[in-house]
Amino acid sequence: MSNPPPSGGDLSRLRQLNALSAIRALRGTEPLPLSAIASRTGLSRPSTKEVVDELMGLGWVEEVPPTPGTVGRPARRYRFRSGSGYLAGVDIGAHNVRAAVADLDGNIVAETRQAVRPDTPVADRLAVVERAVAGCLAMSGLTAGNLWTVVIGTTGLVDRDGRVIFSAAIPNWSGLDLAGLLGGKFPCDVLVENDSRLAALAETRRGVARGSREVVFLHIGRRMGTGLIIDGRLHRGFGAAAGEIGMLPETRWKSAITHLHGCAIVPEGTPPEDAAGYVLAAARAGDPAAVAAVERYVDELAVGAAATVLTLDPELVVLGGGFSRSADVLLPPLRSRLEAVCLRMPELRASTLGDECVVLGAIDYAADHLDRQLFAADTGPALPLPLSVTR
Amino acid sequence: MSNPPPSGGDLSRLRQLNALSAIRALRGTEPLPLSAIASRTGLSRPSTKEVVDELMGLGWVEEVPPTPGTVGRPARRYRFRSGSGYLAGVDIGAHNVRAAVADLDGNIVAETRQAVRPDTPVADRLAVVERAVAGCLAMSGLTAGNLWTVVIGTTGLVDRDGRVIFSAAIPNWSGLDLAGLLGGKFPCDVLVENDSRLAALAETRRGVARGSREVVFLHIGRRMGTGLIIDGRLHRGFGAAAGEIGMLPETRWKSAITHLHGCAIVPEGTPPEDAAGYVLAAARAGDPAAVAAVERYVDELAVGAAATVLTLDPELVVLGGGFSRSADVLLPPLRSRLEAVCLRMPELRASTLGDECVVLGAIDYAADHLDRQLFAADTGPALPLPLSVTR
């Protein structure tokens, strides 16, 4: 069971606020008995019972079966249903559009990938995004009305309003009001963020950076980017333009990939999207020309990585993105170059989230957005959640 | 009147906690009547009166004269005496040791400067530091016992324990346990921090970066360094090694000064410490060779500055340190170079704190340390302040 879309208010304001308090009390904790919910919400026990019954009727809260073997009559316990609503995450790249739908705890229920081209027209790429989310929903027996938040990750520089200021990878993407164009397509909040930042977030939530508060995420694949976690938070900068060390000519990040694509061992006719993988695999097997090409590629990667590390002094550098599955080939030469210039050497780890790091980060970002709304709800005038439903 | 040194407990624990509550209530606000102090501390009015009387007796709180012309009998109002105690800040450089003593609001009451050399022996440089602080105290009619916190700023990389990990400017400084060596010389906490970080802090408190939460401070003089303010806080990094972009060979920061020192127009026999100033002044006057030398110097400065800006996307870049008084000559060429590579151009401002930026930052850092102790006092077991005095 999942919830129908919001449709005007039939819960009174007070009942909505009480319901929000109860949801807050139950979200992210173990199942609680009524007494604990009452104590956390400050409601009387009868009011708590009433609110919890109502939330059970709406499908947002469920009773947990008593633990077998409990002596005496155990108190009934309740938990927030992570399937009360759903989150969608999308990764719009130059060559692929990935999408996933997850429950409110971030568990993925369906995902899709569709190939596109850097020159795919804007309208076509947006249509792919819509079809990708619709496909995930259809596979899961859900509709758009079940979505509580949609987060779009995209290559390029994205401002706070969800506009793509600049994208080198998708030329027709620069200047696009992506939040505006996609906002009307879903009956919930639609947020847009830079792909490398979302991937960095995913690493701190479900990847190799869990527990670290100072992280530099190096997003490497056909293009390079960084996502920065500073003091435990995603760092955007004053104008949402942080992490763009690749713009510094001295880093040579824009041309680094040519060392792999242009390697002489690549068989004629290999599609560009397979050339780098071919060279990385040959380097793993010890081919001298491939090893030399990888060394030159890492030379370029290392300058921007070292600049970011020297600026921030992170605990951890995570190598992620499409090339992270070749981390065994890339990490040793990257480590030696960083050691040569860094005053304090951070730990280096390879991501295990692979190509899905952005879409997972989009889901995690959507869950954060939802939690911010839940926890801010009693200070603001508006209720952000679809709590006023038709029954 | 200022306070004698701490000397064991004659205020009971409860009275100390009540006194701390009252100090917290009064620190950094306008004068308050007893009723407001009682409401902020949660103490009864009689207890509040007792605590305030006691603090007045100790010299930490004073009564404010009633505003002239007030009708009726005005309530007595009290304020925290910024002269209850004093803070010392020291800037240990390769060529100068500066010191200042300030009241608890950070108002400087005395300052000194003494020349040293990069190769001054460690023991001699430490003796200069002691004499510098003693000189400030003597000028102000104070003794070391009046100091509540001492903060030492020094060139080089300083770890969280106050050890100098590495200093290129003062060769015999690397590896020195500065906090340990100076800790025993003063009857209060002695903290050590990197000089550029302290200067950045001063800019946000009393300089051109007031009100900004994302600031890159470029510390330029005979050497270059950076201090980073991220989300309103001084950024140290995981191992206190943040802001060291100058270690990246591509920045060429280590050799940049040679463009000024080696300029052909510098008269023979000019001491190295005056050469750069001579060239900057000549560039201001339009001398072509000096202008060319400054351009080459800024070329080098700009690479590290751009790397830091591209990584962090600050609101503001502040040019500070000894060369900041030549900002009129340096800012225009720096601006054009940053504009060429930065995706979003930050505002550029010249510091007005000049050579005193580090010592002022040390005072501000000391005041922050004191406030952290005041505000953390009721959660920790120890009372950090000299509240148990012999009367």
Side-chain angles (χ1 to χ4, degrees), chain A residues 182-199:
Chain A
L182 288 172
K185 307 293 186 185
F186 304 96
C188 62
D189 286 352
V190 176
L191 310 176
V192 182
E193 185 49 282
N194 169 270
D195 53 359
S196 301
R197 281 192 204 137
L198 294 177

Side-chain angles (χ1 to χ4, degrees), chain A residues 25-48:
Chain A
L26 287 168
R27 180 141 168 83
T29 69
E30 53 187 17
L32 297 178
L34 275 183
S35 55
I37 303 171
S39 117
R40 291 182 184 208
T41 56
L43 298 174
S44 69
R45 202 186 145 97
S47 295
T48 304

